[in-house]
Amino acid sequence: MSKIVKNEYLGIPKVDSLKVRIPLKALTNYHKSLDKTYIKVCPVSGDIELDSDGEPKVNKEDLTCFWIDNVPLKLGIAKNVVCGNTRKDYLYILINSKHTLSNYFKGIDKENLYSIYKALIDMELISIDWDIFLEVSIPTDIDIKIDYELKLDEYKEMLEGCKGMTKASTDRDKGYTSFKKKRNLGISWSVRKTDKYLTNPYLKIYHKGLEMQFNSNTFYESHLSHYDIKDCFRIETTIKNKTHLISLNKALKLDLIKFNMSELMELDSDKLKSIVRSSVNCHLYPRKKSLTMFKNKQRMTPSDSVMFSSLLAFIEDCKWTYMQVEKVMLSRIENESSKSLTKKKLKGFYQDIIEDKNYTVKAKNVENFYDKIGWF
């Protein structure tokens, strides 16, 4: 199938994943296989304890796992979680956008959440009315995502701009971690398991096209193959728990009262975007409107300008091949290091010529992304 559809939710913030906590007493019934395994949680906050792979810690190896069209759906019970002056037993459900299948890019809104709820009911995993489900469910570990598009060279330059403006720190919970490999390319700040989420929330930018190609290709081919996502990338931040959400509610005027699933699903795009914007500005210095590669190429040094003009003249006026031009222009350079650097620069200029790159436009595209995420 030809990839003809663009991600129609570009620039729109959505809930991407979350953990749902439901008091067992609120359920009319639940699947009895869940009694076999208990999820470990922090006894005070109720947060799920995760192992080094980001998976829930369990007392037994066989964490109860069900499936929605080959997408794993994990559930478990936590016993004696502190709730005010009492202790309660809870059912935890780990939900993510893949459970919505072809509606993946839409994220988890009220409509998509209902489809997941309906699957839970149809599989007889839980029995509870929809309205009660929304009212009693407490969301934690909430990932808010926004998808954007940039050409790969623009995307790389955007990452460099973020690196250069990251607030300096030797603390592992601060600063950035960049990843540059075949399977993905991006940058993250803080760590998912941080206890400093109020001042240093987890934030990540990664290439969704590469991630789908190498890490989720089966899901992509099954449900999203009509989408063209080669230039799609994602920024996402995590609301760690209720304490974190209460803090954001006060700072950003989210107008939450009960902090339950019903209220989370009612948050509009402006409020969700303000959460991402707040996270971005926790980690980055006030923005300087300067980009290295693109703006440097707009203002070449005299020697680079001569090199570029010569290359252009040989190729367009003399109709030489690139290999002919390279051989001539490198012939009088004896130092191997200088020759290698010049060759690399020539290849870069040649790529610019055949792709007809406009660096003024590319610099503007990157600046526009910074504007959109609210980095001021």
Side-chain angles (χ1 to χ4, degrees):
M1 181 183 296
S2 60
K3 315 246 185 337
I4 57 173
V5 180
K6 289 287 186 181
N7 179 353
E8 63 265 49
Y9 299 101
L10 291 174
I12 302 175
K14 295 286 184 177
V15 174
D16 180 56
S17 65
L18 69 163
K19 297 178 177 68
V20 180
R21 187 173 83 191
I22 306 173
L24 277 187
K25 288 185 177 180
L27 299 173
T28 305
N29 203 356
Y30 63 88
H31 203 284
K32 294 310 175 185
S33 65
L34 297 171
D35 283 325
K36 297 177 182 179
T37 306
Y38 298 123
I39 292 179
K40 291 183 178 180
V41 299
C42 171
V44 177
S45 69
D47 297 340
I48 296 177
E49 293 185 19
L50 303 178
D51 61 23
S52 58
D53 296 321
E55 295 292 330
K57 289 183 179 178
V58 292
N59 289 330
K60 298 180 181 179
E61 293 298 321
D62 56 342
L63 174 64
T64 308
C65 183
F66 300 88
W67 302 84
I68 297 179
D69 198 358
N70 294 320
V71 178
L73 174 66
K74 296 184 179 181
L75 299 87
I77 291 173
K79 293 283 189 178
N80 297 316
V81 178
V82 173
C83 183
N85 296 322
T86 63
R87 291 179 176 269
K88 293 184 179 180
D89 298 340
Y90 286 93
L91 173 68
Y92 282 81
I93 309 174
L94 280 59
I95 295 175
N96 67 71
S97 293
K98 286 184 178 178
H99 293 131
T100 69
L101 306 177
S102 61
N103 287 320
Y104 172 76
F105 287 115
K106 189 182 179 185
I108 301 171
D109 57 9
K110 197 169 184 178
E111 182 181 11
N112 276 346
L113 180 64
Y114 181 78
S115 71
I116 298 171
Y117 159 83
K118 189 68 167 55
L120 291 165
I121 297 295
D122 291 344
M123 289 189 289
E124 299 183 344
L125 299 182
I126 61 172
S127 179
I128 184 174
D129 289 341
W130 169 240
D131 290 340
I132 296 176
F133 174 82
L134 289 174
E135 184 67 21
V136 302
S137 296
I138 302 299
T140 65
D141 221 353
I142 308 159
D143 279 357
I144 309 295
K145 63 91 175 179
I146 313 178
D147 292 335
Y148 295 99
E149 281 190 347
L150 281 175
K151 298 294 184 183
L152 188 59
D153 59 340
E154 297 170 0
Y155 174 70
K156 290 178 179 178
E157 179 63 14
M158 177 272 294
L159 294 178
E160 290 301 315
C162 291
K163 291 178 187 177
M165 296 303 290
T166 295
K167 295 175 182 178
S169 176
T170 56
D171 190 328
R172 182 169 176 264
D173 286 355
K174 300 178 183 179
Y176 72 83
T177 300
S178 62
F179 44 97
K180 184 178 180 181
K181 47 193 175 182
K182 180 180 178 181
R183 291 180 175 272
N184 216 321
L185 178 68
I187 185 172
S188 64
W189 294 266
S190 189
V191 290
R192 280 198 177 275
K193 296 172 69 174
T194 182
D195 58 1
K196 299 177 182 177
Y197 46 81
L198 295 180
T199 54
N200 293 285
Y202 182 71
L203 177 69
K204 182 179 181 181
I205 300 175
Y206 64 100
H207 201 283
K208 179 51 66 173
L210 291 175
E211 190 269 340
M212 279 287 175
Q213 179 183 355
F214 291 105
N215 299 329
S216 303
N217 188 255
T218 300
F219 177 81
Y220 174 75
E221 292 297 336
S222 298
H223 304 290
L224 305 171
S225 60
H226 56 296
Y227 278 98
D228 177 3
I229 58 171
K230 69 179 184 302
D231 295 324
C232 182
F233 69 96
R234 174 169 293 184
I235 180 170
E236 66 182 34
T237 190
T238 301
I239 305 171
K240 185 65 178 174
N241 50 33
K242 186 176 179 180
T243 300
H244 192 184
L245 190 55
I246 289 172
S247 175
L248 291 170
N249 183 54
K250 182 178 180 180
L252 304 177
K253 297 180 171 56
L254 301 178
D255 299 323
L256 302 176
I257 298 173
K258 298 180 179 179
F259 303 93
N260 60 10
M261 183 66 78
S262 180
E263 290 186 336
L264 178 66
M265 292 295 100
E266 294 299 327
L267 287 179
D268 61 28
S269 291
D270 288 341
K271 289 178 179 177
L272 290 175
K273 187 169 285 188
S274 73
I275 294 171
V276 177
R277 180 169 58 245
S278 172
S279 185
V280 168
N281 287 290
C282 278
H283 293 288
L284 301 179
Y285 287 119
R287 181 170 133 218
K288 293 179 181 178
K289 295 201 171 208
S290 60
L291 300 169
T292 56
M293 182 179 71
F294 294 147
K295 292 201 172 178
N296 285 344
K297 286 198 173 183
Q298 291 176 60
R299 299 187 297 270
M300 294 182 189
T301 63
S303 60
D304 283 350
S305 182
V306 169
M307 182 186 296
F308 184 84
S309 298
S310 300
L311 180 64
L312 190 63
F314 279 127
I315 290 173
E316 295 192 348
D317 297 337
C318 301
K319 307 303 180 186
W320 284 19
T321 66
Y322 170 73
M323 295 306 296
Q324 288 176 304
V325 179
E326 181 187 275
K327 184 177 180 180
V328 170
M329 296 187 72
L330 297 180
S331 63
R332 294 186 176 277
I333 303 177
E334 295 182 358
N335 182 277
E336 290 301 321
S337 178
S338 298
K339 181 177 288 189
S340 176
L341 290 173
T342 305
K343 182 177 181 179
K344 183 177 180 180
K345 187 173 290 186
L346 271 173
K347 284 186 175 180
F349 285 149
Y350 176 65
Q351 198 68 29
D352 296 347
I353 291 170
I354 63 175
E355 293 182 8
D356 193 23
K357 290 185 178 179
N358 185 325
Y359 286 105
T360 300
V361 172
K362 288 186 172 294
K364 185 174 178 59
N365 288 342
V366 177
E367 292 284 7
N368 284 343
F369 166 71
Y370 292 152
D371 289 337
K372 288 174 183 176
I373 62 173
W375 179 18
F376 49 78

